[in-house]
Amino acid sequence: MNTEVNKLSFMYEGDKSRDATDKIRGFLFQDYVTIMCLLQNQIKCVCSEYLEDVDVFFEDGTFEFIQVKYYPKSSPDAKEISTDLYYQYLRLQMLRSTLKAKPSLYIHRNSKVEKPTLDKMKEYIGLGNELPKSVAYPDAADSATWLKTKVYKTNKKELQKKNLFVDMASEDSLKEFVSKYNIFLQVDINRYKKKLMEALARAYPNPDKDGNEEHWQFILLGLAISYIQRRYTLVNPIFDQLRVDKKEFDCYMTESVKTKTNETIASYLVGIVCEEYGEIINSNDLSDIQTHMLNMICQRTVRWINEIGKTMDGQYQLLNTYSADDVSKIAGYRGTSVDGRLLYVAECKQGFLVFLEYLWKIMLNIFQKKLNNETEVSARLEMFDPLHYVDSSVTDYVCLNFPEDRHVNHSVILPRAGGNFKGVKRKIVERMVNMSPKPEKWFFENSKLMRGKNYYNYSTANVNENPTVADLGEDSFYIECMDCIGIDEDEWSIQEDCSSCIFSVKCVKEEM
């Protein structure tokens, strides 16, 4: 196996220097595929982001290299995908790999994707009558030298492929490639996620026979996602750092679920983040660039929630932001058992979803105004991290500081007051007046809520009376009703101009 790993490492080094053209890919879908592969029998290990999006090594020497594509609405570039995979296949043949190559495409799309025929692959290669019947490759060492000088001399992916194909592609190798190439279509990311969660629950059953099965599945999904994503932050990783050994993964999952800990709570929250992402993707007609941006936001949200959710103080900070309960109930959170805390976090799920929805939609609006294409997205990755907008010096609540909001430095996204408006409003207000520092702006959705300027020295019963649009002063705050930000189904593709609504000192509705 070491000899084969060396060959793959050589291939990886040739790919690593490519120009950073960040293409759209299904971030969570890719993680789901990785985890599903790890749950299969006869798997040795799985790599994410190595030669392809997912590389799977079987005990019998089969090597499945998988491209994962996310095209719920638009059409995939069949030529690019197929020639990418053929490029990997051809290099394996040249380097005399003993691995049994299995090129695959896992694609999320609403309509069927056809596997290319031999004639179609010939067309994609573009050599016409110059394509030979067969090619005699040099030995492995000479092939490596040839690849270095002829293929890796450029860092442009399309040029690398062209340089390889013009001398080494053949009808025989194309025929072999087509015969081994498989396409796996998934039309619904939520349905695939549900299958994965059920598979995880079968592999790692809940030790609490009377426990909530839905909560358990979210915990397992969050644990697995967090384990996979540890590798995404590595700089210049090698094979041994990227690979996920099936036995090690199984050991990690088995040990992690034996006893509930703070990590269990973090994993539950990560599972909810994944659920929310799937709901938005499935119920909105997003453009490719919007999908790409939302992928980036979600990926970094998982990392942030995984970190903040691992400590009791971090859990408290989240709950004090989006819970609809009073001060005393949240204050008692720290004295509760892990089981009790997990149950309470689960009870506050709806508040967490509202928090995520508004945070993500505001971020998405900001990005769409500033960034026009995927290259610009890749150059401003820090913008997609929620922590970029969180004031880490504030620990009482999740304090947001949007640079685009020139009027305030401390904002908070609050839960919906719901049907029991007055009672819930009183509880939320009671928490806010005890915060330090007090938020200067509340993103507080409710049609009964008066918008505009308010004062912290009002009684909690009258906190929303007599709003004005004057400049904020000390001990005052501004309420945004959030009517101008759409988070329902079919509203995520709509871009709102935050500078003229929620970041404005005047309410748009008051000016009509």
Side-chain angles (χ1 to χ4, degrees):
M1 181 66 180
N2 285 341
T3 303
E4 295 308 311
V5 168
N6 290 338
K7 293 173 183 176
L8 298 179
S9 297
F10 172 76
M11 293 168 67
Y12 177 61
E13 287 299 319
D15 291 349
K16 210 165 55 168
S17 62
R18 285 178 178 172
D19 59 321
T21 308
D22 194 8
K23 297 297 181 184
I24 293 175
R25 54 182 181 238
F27 145 68
L28 271 181
F29 184 40
Q30 180 176 323
D31 286 347
Y32 294 165
V33 170
T34 301
I35 298 165
M36 193 70 93
C37 287
L38 281 164
L39 295 176
Q40 295 177 26
N41 294 325
Q42 304 301 315
I43 297 294
K44 189 180 182 73
C45 64
V46 178
C47 273
S48 251
E49 299 291 347
Y50 193 56
L51 289 190
E52 285 297 345
D53 296 322
V54 183
D55 297 324
V56 187
F57 298 83
F58 291 77
E59 295 284 0
D60 67 356
T62 298
F63 172 49
E64 183 178 17
F65 45 102
I66 303 170
Q67 278 213 7
V68 181
K69 295 296 181 184
Y70 192 89
Y71 292 94
K73 302 292 192 298
S74 59
S75 298
D77 188 333
K79 175 182 176 181
E80 181 182 21
I81 294 168
S82 300
T83 53
D84 279 356
L85 290 169
Y86 179 57
Y87 173 80
Q88 306 291 16
Y89 181 82
L90 192 52
R91 288 192 300 163
L92 286 169
Q93 305 309 306
M94 285 185 64
L95 293 170
R96 301 289 201 273
S97 174
T98 60
L99 296 172
K100 292 181 276 187
K102 183 181 177 183
S104 297
L105 168 64
Y106 284 62
I107 185 164
H108 178 302
R109 192 163 184 261
N110 293 338
S111 55
K112 189 175 180 181
V113 179
E114 296 290 344
K115 175 178 170 178
T117 62
L118 175 60
D119 287 340
K120 183 59 70 172
M121 283 302 300
K122 288 180 181 179
E123 178 187 322
Y124 289 160
I125 295 300
L127 295 180
N129 295 330
E130 295 179 11
L131 179 70
K133 179 76 170 61
S134 62
V135 170
Y137 309 127
D139 62 30
D142 288 341
S143 287
T145 302
W146 187 91
L147 287 166
K148 273 185 180 179
T149 56
K150 297 285 190 177
V151 177
Y152 303 158
K153 65 181 181 180
T154 175
N155 67 347
K156 303 295 182 183
K157 182 172 89 170
E158 289 306 312
L159 272 178
Q160 286 185 343
K161 291 196 293 186
K162 181 180 178 181
N163 291 342
L164 177 64
F165 297 158
V166 80
D167 284 325
M168 295 297 171
S170 68
E171 184 173 332
D172 286 349
S173 66
L174 278 175
K175 190 180 296 183
E176 290 174 4
F177 169 79
V178 169
S179 69
K180 295 176 180 179
Y181 183 22
N182 288 298
I183 296 178
F184 301 91
L185 177 69
Q186 295 294 332
V187 298
D188 187 326
I189 193 171
N190 274 346
R191 197 179 303 163
Y192 189 78
K193 181 199 71 178
K194 187 174 186 298
K195 284 170 56 181
L196 174 60
M197 292 168 72
E198 290 170 349
L200 283 165
R202 287 193 297 271
Y204 310 103
N206 191 347
D208 181 2
K209 300 303 180 185
D210 299 320
N212 185 301
E213 189 61 23
E214 181 185 9
H215 295 170
W216 182 248
Q217 290 185 8
F218 280 129
I219 290 166
L220 292 175
L221 180 64
L223 280 169
I225 290 282
S226 301
Y227 190 75
I228 296 301
Q229 287 192 17
R230 291 176 189 176
R231 290 145 185 85
Y232 292 162
T233 57
L234 296 171
V235 179
N236 294 324
I238 60 174
F239 175 78
D240 283 343
Q241 292 174 311
L242 285 173
R243 74 187 181 104
V244 181
D245 185 86
K246 179 179 170 64
K247 291 179 181 178
E248 290 178 6
F249 175 77
D250 185 60
C251 182
Y252 160 80
M253 293 294 291
T254 302
E255 292 300 315
S256 296
V257 301
K258 281 182 178 177
T259 308
K260 292 188 179 71
T261 63
N262 283 325
E263 188 176 2
T264 309
I265 297 173
S267 297
Y268 172 79
L269 290 170
V270 167
I272 300 303
V273 172
C274 297
E275 177 191 35
E276 179 61 18
Y277 169 84
E279 290 295 331
I280 295 169
I281 290 295
N282 266 16
S283 57
N284 290 274
D285 189 13
L286 299 173
S287 67
D288 284 350
I289 190 70
Q290 287 173 326
T291 300
H292 187 45
M293 288 178 172
L294 193 60
N295 279 335
M296 305 289 281
I297 295 171
C298 182
Q299 181 180 27
R300 282 149 182 79
T301 301
V302 164
R303 294 177 193 170
W304 171 50
I305 293 298
N306 199 37
E307 286 305 311
I308 193 173
K310 281 181 180 176
T311 66
M312 194 184 303
D313 287 342
Q315 296 159 17
Y316 173 85
Q317 183 180 3
L318 286 168
L319 288 167
N320 211 21
T321 304
Y322 63 71
S323 169
D325 289 320
D326 59 26
V327 173
S328 61
K329 182 162 185 179
I330 297 179
Y333 179 83
R334 287 188 173 98
T336 310
S337 67
V338 175
D339 282 338
R341 284 190 279 121
L342 177 59
L343 182 61
Y344 182 52
V345 167
E347 288 173 354
C348 297
K349 174 184 172 182
Q350 192 55 45
F352 184 46
L353 290 176
V354 170
F355 172 80
L356 288 176
E357 287 165 353
Y358 277 123
L359 176 60
W360 288 359
K361 190 61 184 296
I362 293 170
M363 290 173 67
L364 197 59
N365 285 331
I366 291 171
F367 306 152
Q368 291 178 98
K369 188 171 184 180
K370 291 186 173 184
L371 307 174
N372 300 307
N373 55 55
E374 293 168 39
T375 303
E376 291 180 14
V377 168
S378 301
R380 300 290 302 276
L381 294 180
E382 77 284 350
M383 287 179 60
F384 296 86
D385 192 339
L387 281 173
H388 184 66
Y389 307 95
V390 173
D391 186 341
S392 57
S393 68
V394 180
T395 56
D396 276 356
Y397 62 101
V398 179
C399 178
L400 299 168
N401 182 3
F402 296 105
E404 293 76 14
D405 192 346
R406 292 166 295 141
H407 306 290
V408 300
N409 296 319
H410 302 111
S411 302
V412 64
I413 296 175
L414 297 175
R416 293 185 175 111
N420 182 19
F421 173 70
K422 290 185 177 179
V424 174
K425 181 198 73 172
R426 175 184 55 76
K427 293 175 183 178
I428 293 172
V429 169
E430 187 179 32
R431 295 208 318 271
M432 291 301 107
V433 299
N434 287 301
M435 296 296 188
S436 178
K438 295 179 177 66
E440 299 160 327
K441 181 177 283 186
W442 299 4
F443 296 114
F444 196 3
E445 181 213 334
N446 196 286
S447 58
K448 299 178 183 179
L449 200 62
M450 298 295 285
R451 299 173 289 275
K453 183 179 179 182
N454 294 266
Y455 297 90
Y456 274 109
N457 58 3
Y458 279 179
S459 72
T460 58
N462 300 319
V463 73
N464 64 343
E465 289 185 355
N466 303 321
T468 69
V469 292
D471 290 341
L472 295 178
E474 192 174 358
D475 295 324
S476 62
F477 62 97
Y478 202 85
I479 292 178
E480 290 288 350
C481 69
M482 304 307 285
D483 283 354
C484 299
I485 303 295
I487 57 172
D488 287 338
E489 288 187 15
D490 298 324
E491 292 185 334
W492 281 80
S493 59
I494 301 170
Q495 179 182 346
E496 297 100 359
D497 183 2
C498 292
S499 63
S500 64
C501 56
I502 62 168
F503 293 160
S504 171
V505 88
K506 289 188 176 183
C507 176
V508 174
K509 291 191 174 183
E510 290 173 359
E511 295 177 341
M512 292 180 177

